[in-house]
Amino acid sequence: MKTETTPEEARADLPIHSVAVIGAGSIGIAWSIVFACAGINVRICELDDTRRDSALASAESLLSEMEGAGLLSQATAGILERMSVWEELSDAVSGVGYVQECVVEDVDVKRELFRQLDQLTPHDVVLASSTSTIPSSKFASDLPGRARCLVVHPANPPYFLRVAEVVPAEFTSPTAVATTVSILKRAQIFSVHLNSEIEGFALNRLQGALLREAYCLVQDGVISAVDVDTLVREGLGRRWSVIGPFTTSELNTRGGLRQHSEVLGPVYARLGLERGHENPWTPDTINTVAKAIEQNLPFASWEENVRQRDHAMIQIASRLKGFDNPLVQCESE
Ligand SMILES: NC(=O)c1ccc[n+]([C@@H]2O[C@H](COP(=O)([O-])OP(=O)(O)OC[C@H]3O[C@@H](n4cnc5c(N)ncnc54)[C@H](O)[C@@H]3O)[C@@H](O)[C@H]2O)c1
């Protein structure tokens, strides 16, 4: 049995006081806000002069609006004081405990940047990529310090959608993962752990499944594009703001998810076949999913669980009362 804590594991528990964010596009600015709001100093690196000059103003504009809406626990000015902008990569990463890379989605650009980051930082500094689709083994596998490289893919924008996918490569150390989860927790971001690298990770695969069907429905002339958006925005999306699709199946059907899969599994399998996908839900997988959901929501309390879902929906509805969505008017024009 392992009894001693290695220096690296001990370091994973140490608070990180400053991070570097590389790239000041929309994702870089968003991560900077998330970390600075959590009390962490953020050193932003941006190559482009115009973007570098406007980075703090972009952050200030978003933070001020969030402050006006009562979303910040401290004043914008105090949060901005923790942000600095740098041109040179070596200056930006000096003394940081964690790096969040947010440059263009180009594997060659990321490979060259990670090569430099690996040389410029001690090997216990985590190097996380925000990439939406590229596994870190495609750009970090040859590096001497590859054990601290991984993907931390945020939902966009991360200051509102507080979840990120943590995707280690085979070579990523458990310490790097633990440090990452710890800093995300401090920044109030839920971590979703992927057990293996897969192109598109999970979030974009889920989004892709919905988009594939949406495009097919429009292409087949079944529904307009605007109505697809309305169905998701007013229906699925509203419900998904309090429960995910598996919990939806659990609570929408008397008999729970197991009953839901029995009745609707064959229907969904047929619909999939219509689109050329043959991947029916197996009894084993249904059992795995049901057991996971029932752990949080015991089936014996099904009626109470449904009441809690309704309670959550009522709270959302009451917060959205009077919400005038400017984008909906644009959609119907
Ligand atoms: N946009 C999204 O919805 C979204 C969501 C999640 C993750 N991501 C991922 O986040 C990353 C950034 O996305 P974005 O939309 O902010 O991109 P973007 O193109 O808007 O911004 C990238 C920035 O990085 C800068 N840059 C490029 N190379 C650099 C370098 N070597 N050093 C410093 N700065 C450099 C560019 O000048 C630019 O300002 C991508 O990998 C993307 O896939 C994007």
Side-chain angles (χ1 to χ4, degrees):
M1 199 207 309
K2 193 176 158 194
T3 50
E4 283 182 20
T5 307
T6 64
E8 287 212 331
E9 281 166 342
R11 179 164 169 119
D13 289 334
L14 290 177
I16 287 171
H17 299 293
S18 59
V19 301
V21 168
I22 317 300
S26 55
I27 295 301
I29 296 293
W31 272 123
S32 303
I33 289 175
V34 166
F35 290 128
C37 284
I40 300 167
N41 294 318
V42 183
R43 300 169 72 85
I44 304 166
C45 178
E46 171 58 57
L47 288 183
D48 180 81
D49 295 346
T50 314
R51 286 221 172 162
R52 198 168 53 253
D53 291 345
S54 62
L56 291 184
S58 304
E60 182 174 19
S61 153
L62 278 161
L63 282 164
S64 300
E65 197 168 350
M66 288 162 77
E67 186 179 1
L71 290 175
L72 299 183
S73 56
Q74 52 198 308
T76 294
I79 297 169
L80 279 174
E81 271 176 18
R82 286 196 279 278
M83 296 186 191
S84 56
V85 187
W86 304 85
E87 181 176 3
E88 292 298 328
L89 190 61
S90 54
D91 291 332
V93 299
S94 168
V96 302
Y98 176 93
V99 177
Q100 185 73 43
E101 169 273 307
C102 308
V103 305
V104 284
E105 189 74 344
D106 178 318
V107 70
D108 295 328
V109 174
K110 292 196 193 283
R111 188 177 296 115
E112 171 54 21
L113 180 57
F114 270 72
R115 191 191 62 73
Q116 293 177 40
L117 288 170
D118 197 45
Q119 286 179 351
L120 289 168
T121 55
H123 281 188
D124 55 356
V125 171
V126 170
L127 305 180
S129 172
S130 299
T131 173
S132 305
T133 55
I134 315 170
S136 55
S137 55
K138 295 258 194 273
F139 53 81
S141 58
D142 295 338
L143 301 177
R146 62 186 189 165
R148 43 45 183 282
C149 299
L150 78 173
V151 167
V152 177
H153 172 237
N156 185 24
Y159 40 80
F160 295 133
L161 307 183
R162 303 202 76 97
V163 64
E165 297 178 278
V166 175
V167 194
E170 273 187 6
F171 50 69
T172 310
S173 71
T175 310
V177 174
T179 304
T180 302
V181 169
S182 154
I183 196 167
L184 290 177
K185 191 172 175 192
R186 237 172 104 196
Q188 298 181 334
I189 300 280
F190 280 101
S191 304
V192 169
H193 184 91
L194 268 66
N195 294 320
S196 55
E197 291 191 305
I198 182 171
E199 191 187 5
F201 314 127
L203 188 144
N204 277 322
R205 281 182 172 250
L206 290 169
Q207 184 158 256
L210 195 129
L211 277 173
R212 275 196 299 277
E213 183 62 29
Y215 273 101
C216 287
L217 289 170
V218 172
Q219 191 167 293
D220 294 348
V222 175
I223 187 171
S224 73
V226 168
D227 281 350
V228 167
D229 268 0
T230 305
L231 274 178
V232 177
R233 188 188 64 238
E234 303 297 325
L236 294 172
R238 189 67 62 87
R239 187 161 62 199
W240 286 343
S241 68
V242 296
I243 50 173
F246 287 138
T247 303
T248 299
S249 303
E250 172 69 14
L251 301 181
N252 268 13
T253 314
R254 198 166 280 280
L257 183 145
R258 293 173 194 275
Q259 176 69 10
H260 176 270
S261 65
E262 212 165 285
V263 176
L264 286 173
V267 178
Y268 282 116
R270 264 200 322 277
L271 301 183
L273 273 180
E274 261 181 35
R275 303 293 189 206
H277 308 297
E278 190 170 5
N279 37 24
W281 314 335
T282 67
D284 271 359
T285 310
I286 292 166
N287 193 37
T288 303
V289 173
K291 270 168 54 185
I293 298 299
E294 288 160 4
Q295 220 170 16
N296 278 335
L297 300 169
F299 184 65
S301 325
W302 187 83
E303 307 264 358
E304 177 54 21
N305 298 336
V306 171
R307 256 193 302 280
Q308 293 299 341
R309 176 202 60 197
D310 292 347
H311 178 62
M313 294 300 302
I314 287 167
Q315 288 188 67
I316 291 282
S318 98
R319 287 189 175 121
L320 286 175
K321 198 170 165 207
F323 167 55
D324 184 14
N325 185 342
L327 297 166
V328 172
Q329 277 127 39
C330 299
E331 246 183 26
S332 55
E333 272 166 12

